[in-house]
């Protein structure tokens, strides 16, 4: 079961079955201590940036895609509609749920549809030449010889 | 009574792309497909969830939109599909 851990040196928060051996922020070894959910939520909530809008999210997923085999869909209309849905879902339902799926109202199941999800296993992506995630926000990066229209 | 449902999301591009295809199918075959938005209408979302045991195995183990569902035969098609595939579902 996943739990919250806090680096006692720099207060990085980690959520997982076990903590990292080395804190990725301050590089101190064996620095993580198990903490309560309340403590983690308080720390994360207090230090969270005020306002994380669509542009911030778009920049984040572009950055996230940079060193991966996929990229953000170059179709701005499609991306715009999806971002609207993702943010509406966060506002109305609590998390950035995929607008092209539906919550099952089972927390663990629903975590699987928070954007970005683990779309590399989607049948629309895995083993598909011009694969994309189910909603199409991420597409397989074309080979260098191919040109994106 | 045979009922054709289309579960869709308002901000789902695939759903949007399917709308003219659904219109065409209705026009050409005379069937009526009830369009049910699931992210902004809890009643529709609950209805889709009630069909989860039937729909999820046919849609990658999840509830996905767009999903086309025949309540009598339990035939379901999910995703953005060609007109012919939708017609096959709608004329069974």
């Amino acid at each position: 079961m996943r739990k919250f851990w806090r680096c006692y040196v720099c207060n990085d928060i980690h959520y997982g079955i076990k903590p990292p051996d080395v804190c990725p922020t301050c590089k101190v070894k064996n620095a993580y201590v198990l903490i309560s959910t309340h403590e983690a939520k308080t720390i994360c909530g207090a230090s969270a940036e005020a306002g994380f809008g669509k542009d911030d999210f778009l920049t984040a997923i572009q950055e996230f895609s940079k060193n991966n085999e996929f990229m953000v869909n170059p179709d701005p209309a499609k991306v715009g509609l999806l971002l609207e849905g993702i943010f509406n879902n966060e506002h109305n339902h609590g998390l950035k749920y995929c607008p092209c799926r539906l919550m099952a109202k089972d927390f663990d199941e629903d975590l699987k549809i928070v954007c970005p999800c683990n779309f590399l296993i989607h049948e629309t992506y895995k083993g598909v030449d011009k694969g994309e995630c189910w909603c199409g926000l991420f597409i397989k990066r074309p080979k260098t010889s191919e040109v994106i229209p | 009574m045979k009922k054709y449902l289309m579960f869709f999301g308002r901000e789902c591009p695939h759903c949007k792309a399917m709308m003219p295809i659904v219109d065409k199918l209705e026009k050409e075959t005379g069937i009526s497909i009830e369009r049910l938005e699931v992210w902004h209408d809890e009643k529709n979302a609950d209805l889709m969830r009630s069909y989860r045991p039937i729909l999820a195995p046919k849609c990658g183990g999840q509830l996905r939109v767009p999903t086309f569902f025949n309540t009598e035969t339990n035939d379901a098609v999910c995703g953005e599909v060609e007109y012919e595939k939708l017609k096959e579902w709608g004329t069974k």
Side-chain angles (χ1 to χ4, degrees), chain A residues 57-126:
Chain A
F57 182 66
L58 183 58
T59 304
I61 58 174
Q62 280 166 338
E63 200 60 35
F64 157 69
S65 304
K66 212 182 264 177
N67 296 317
N68 275 305
E69 61 173 48
F70 48 81
M71 59 187 276
V72 175
N73 196 317
D75 180 341
K78 196 174 262 189
V79 170
L81 186 61
L82 285 165
L83 290 183
E84 194 184 324
I86 289 165
F87 275 75
N88 281 341
N89 286 347
E90 184 175 46
H91 181 263
N92 298 330
H93 304 284
L95 284 169
K96 289 186 175 65
Y97 294 115
C98 176
C100 299
R101 282 173 284 174
L102 178 68
M103 294 168 74
K105 288 203 168 171
D106 169 324
F107 187 69
D108 288 329
E109 270 306 304
D110 292 341
L111 281 182
K112 294 177 188 168
I113 67 162
V114 176
C115 186
C117 68
N118 180 17
F119 56 84
L120 270 60
I121 61 170
H122 288 178
E123 64 277 20
T124 50
Y125 187 94
K126 193 178 178 182

Side-chain angles (χ1 to χ4, degrees), chain B residues 8-92:
Chain B
F8 76 100
R10 194 172 78 190
E11 300 96 345
C12 160
H14 301 295
C15 304
K16 197 176 168 186
M18 286 306 290
M19 289 305 180
I21 296 171
V22 174
D23 291 343
K24 185 180 168 189
L25 183 66
E26 285 183 318
K27 208 171 166 187
E28 284 194 5
T29 62
I31 67 165
S32 174
I33 300 170
E34 194 177 352
R35 296 149 175 83
L36 302 167
E37 204 289 329
V38 297
W39 274 113
H40 299 273
D41 187 315
E42 251 338 89
K43 207 174 143 196
N44 292 344
D46 284 339
L47 180 67
M48 188 179 186
R49 278 190 280 268
S50 74
Y51 291 122
R52 189 180 168 201
I54 303 165
L55 299 178
K58 297 174 181 182
C59 300
Q62 297 177 326
L63 292 173
R64 296 173 169 184
V65 287
T67 288
F68 300 90
F69 182 51
N70 180 330
T71 58
E72 191 185 69
T73 62
N74 283 348
D75 278 317
V77 169
C78 56
E80 192 175 330
V81 294
E82 303 274 327
Y83 177 72
E84 287 310 317
K85 191 172 178 184
L86 193 68
K87 190 176 173 182
E88 194 188 319
W89 163 82
T91 50
K92 260 186 189 171

Side-chain angles (χ1 to χ4, degrees), chain A residues 5-44:
Chain A
W5 310 80
R6 178 177 63 81
C7 169
Y8 80 109
V9 177
C10 71
N11 289 320
D12 248 31
I13 301 293
H14 175 79
Y15 178 59
I17 293 167
K18 59 177 194 171
D21 294 331
V22 177
C23 174
T25 300
C26 69
K27 313 294 179 202
V28 171
K29 280 186 185 172
N30 303 320
Y32 279 88
V33 60
L34 185 66
I35 59 167
S36 68
T37 302
H38 169 76
E39 184 176 323
K41 281 167 81 175
T42 307
I43 292 169
C44 293

